[in-house]
Amino acid sequence: MALTGDMIIGRALVRGSGGEQLAYNPATRAEFAPGFGQATGEDVERACQLAADAFDPYRSLPLEQRARFLEAVAEQILAIGPDLIERAGLETGLPAARLEGERMRTVNQLRLFAKVVRDGHFLGATVDSALPDRTPPRPSLRLAKIGLGPVAVFGASNFPLAFSVAGGDTASALAAGCPVVVKAHGAHLGTSELVGRAVQRAAIETGMPEGVFSMLFGDGRTIGQQLVAHPAIKAVGFTGSRAGGTALMRTAAARAEPIPVYAEMSSVNPVFLLPAALENNAGLAQGFVDSLTLGVGQFCTNPGLVFAVDGPALDAFMASAKAALAGKGAGTMLTAGIHDAYGSGIARLGASAGLRLVAQGSLDGIGCAAQAALYECVAGDFLANPELQDEVFGPCALVVRFDSAEQMLAAAGQLHGQLTATVHVQEADYPLAAQLLPILERKAGRVLFNGFPTGVEVSHAMVHGGPFPATSDSRTTSVGATAIDRFLRPVCYQNLPDVLLPQALRDDNPLRLARIFDGELKTAG
């Protein structure tokens, strides 16, 4: 499929007149054609107005039609074929196998949300029957959830498909009945155009209102801010840096009508190596290094911090980790900006008092190649420097040596909010793990035992969120079926005639939903 560099606004392909940006190959540090036209304020206005016009017609469609739209998007993405993998590889430096896996994750997310829509449980249908003989009488009260309204979605730099144009934020917003305006990431312009056109084709094929989807190119500090500030936008989905997420949060809060920003930002994903596990698990260091360097450390769940009690077992772990890391070659980072920020982060750690460089991977790459690094320090130096909790985005980790388990527990209580927290245990560690677990429940959205945090399953139970600064709202997740809840709000209908009620709340239950009826769960039968 030939790329044109055009944006997508409703059913139209629109050439942005706000300048031009070329795509960039991080492996060669070279730009390449075609140029992609950048949006203007007028383009933002058009996309947002179309989304506002589409909201009521779109959310009123039968659930089956909404689900079919999501499935059609998945089918259209697959239909692009190898062109999508080739283009994404040029723009990211990621290997084909990784991109093929990410494409299937994107497709599976869309299919999961199609199932969520068909099930109808997300509506939260609840009926409290009228009780006219009660004193005082109770009116008929019925509750169902509706979409918030048009959603602005920002593509992420580290996932050109799964957290991008048709990624989890877009899929969950569309599933909730919300039109979407995407601000495509400048790091994968051609990939975004290919996927954006796939969404557009699916929308036309399934009879969606014109403004259900648009995609703009442009700088986040201008076009992105204009998008968040537009009164038609009612929520924001963002994955990126803490600075970028908090900037959008300020804009959203300063509006005449403040709106929620669901931002996934910064996490170092601490790993706790409890004594028995550290003593008896010979493969622990290799598993850690494999997770640390996966995808050149550019996963938001990358294990960047390790806590363990000092002693011979930790010395052995560090020696094994050093050997494992020495065998890891350099990898291409996604953008020049990410590569430069990683270099600055490594330099900052290297200049920090008390830190010692333990091991580095080989540096045999070109372009935006990154060398893995492993540092260590003692607990006192870690606790004295809060900046050591700041994320270094890339294949870098810090191991902290504690004098005792009690000191490690106290330090765990001082951690910032995290996406994940990992604990390696054996049965002898269970009493200590029982003390640690309540602390980690307060700190992280996902607590995992005897594994590593890279790899986020797309499922009903997954939580990819956590307290600030991991995200802007610890009550939500950006992955998994409950991601739809971010873009919904409840509405109570009092004494409405049955014919005017949403189908989910009508007496004959035409959607065959399980509902809460007078305080009890009633199945569709």
Side-chain angles (χ1 to χ4, degrees), residues 166-380:
D169 287 340
T170 296
S172 54
L174 291 174
C178 300
V180 169
V181 180
V182 171
K183 209 293 288 181
H185 199 283
H188 22 83
L189 298 165
T191 305
S192 295
E193 182 184 330
L194 289 172
V195 175
R197 288 201 190 186
V199 181
Q200 185 187 51
R201 288 193 299 272
I204 293 171
E205 170 191 310
T206 55
M208 296 297 109
E210 180 178 7
V212 74
F213 174 80
S214 293
M215 184 194 73
L216 306 175
F217 297 125
D219 182 72
R221 288 166 292 186
T222 53
I223 296 304
Q225 290 285 357
Q226 290 177 29
L227 188 57
V228 174
H230 196 283
I233 298 298
K234 303 302 181 185
V236 178
F238 172 85
T239 298
S241 70
R242 182 172 175 177
T246 53
L248 297 181
M249 291 162 62
R250 287 192 293 270
T251 299
R255 291 173 29 143
E257 177 199 3
I259 59 172
V261 174
Y262 300 112
E264 182 206 316
M265 298 176 289
S266 174
S267 182
V268 293
N269 307 297
V271 177
F272 294 81
L273 307 178
L274 300 195
L278 191 59
E279 182 76 35
N280 300 308
N281 189 340
L284 199 54
Q286 184 66 57
F288 163 68
V289 170
D290 289 345
S291 181
L292 174 68
T293 57
L294 183 67
V296 202
Q298 296 169 112
F299 290 105
C300 37
T301 53
N302 194 54
L305 186 62
V306 179
F307 281 5
V309 176
D310 203 358
L314 181 54
D315 292 339
F317 171 86
M318 295 300 289
S320 297
K322 181 177 181 179
L325 201 64
K328 296 291 185 180
T332 299
M333 301 200 85
L334 291 158
T335 70
I338 290 174
H339 179 264
D340 293 345
Y342 178 69
S344 297
I346 292 295
R348 172 176 58 80
L349 288 178
S352 298
L355 262 66
R356 183 175 75 89
L357 180 63
V358 175
Q360 285 186 294
S362 63
L363 183 57
D364 54 5
I366 60 173
C368 297
Q371 184 179 22
L374 182 64
Y375 293 84
E376 71 172 9
C377 70
V378 298

Side-chain angles (χ1 to χ4, degrees), residues 29-96:
R29 287 187 176 263
E31 294 181 322
F32 57 102
F36 291 80
Q38 305 292 283
T40 64
E42 289 76 14
D43 296 321
V44 173
E45 176 63 33
R46 175 64 176 157
C48 290
Q49 189 55 56
L50 279 175
D53 293 343
F55 176 47
D56 282 341
Y58 177 58
R59 70 184 181 90
S60 300
L61 290 174
L63 294 183
E64 175 59 31
Q65 192 172 353
R66 196 189 302 178
R68 182 68 193 112
F69 170 42
L70 293 168
E71 291 172 336
V73 175
E75 292 160 7
Q76 288 289 348
I77 289 172
L78 290 174
I80 301 170
D83 288 352
L84 180 59
I85 304 303
E86 180 181 355
R87 180 70 190 197
L90 287 173
E91 293 182 331
T92 65
L94 294 172

Side-chain angles (χ1 to χ4, degrees), residues 459-483:
S459 68
H460 288 268
M462 177 53 63
V463 172
H464 192 60
F468 186 87
T471 72
S472 57
D473 190 334
S474 64
R475 299 167 295 178
T476 65
T477 176
S478 61
V479 179
T482 54

Side-chain angles (χ1 to χ4, degrees), residues 109-153:
Q109 285 176 155
L110 290 158
R111 290 172 173 167
L112 172 68
F113 281 108
K115 183 178 185 301
V116 168
V117 170
R118 281 197 180 94
D119 289 345
H121 300 313
F122 74 98
L123 296 169
T126 304
V127 177
D128 291 333
S129 300
L131 299 176
D133 296 330
R134 195 189 71 174
T135 304
R138 185 176 78 185
S140 169
L141 301 171
R142 305 187 182 214
L143 177 151
K145 296 178 182 177
I146 68 168
L148 290 176
V151 174
V153 170

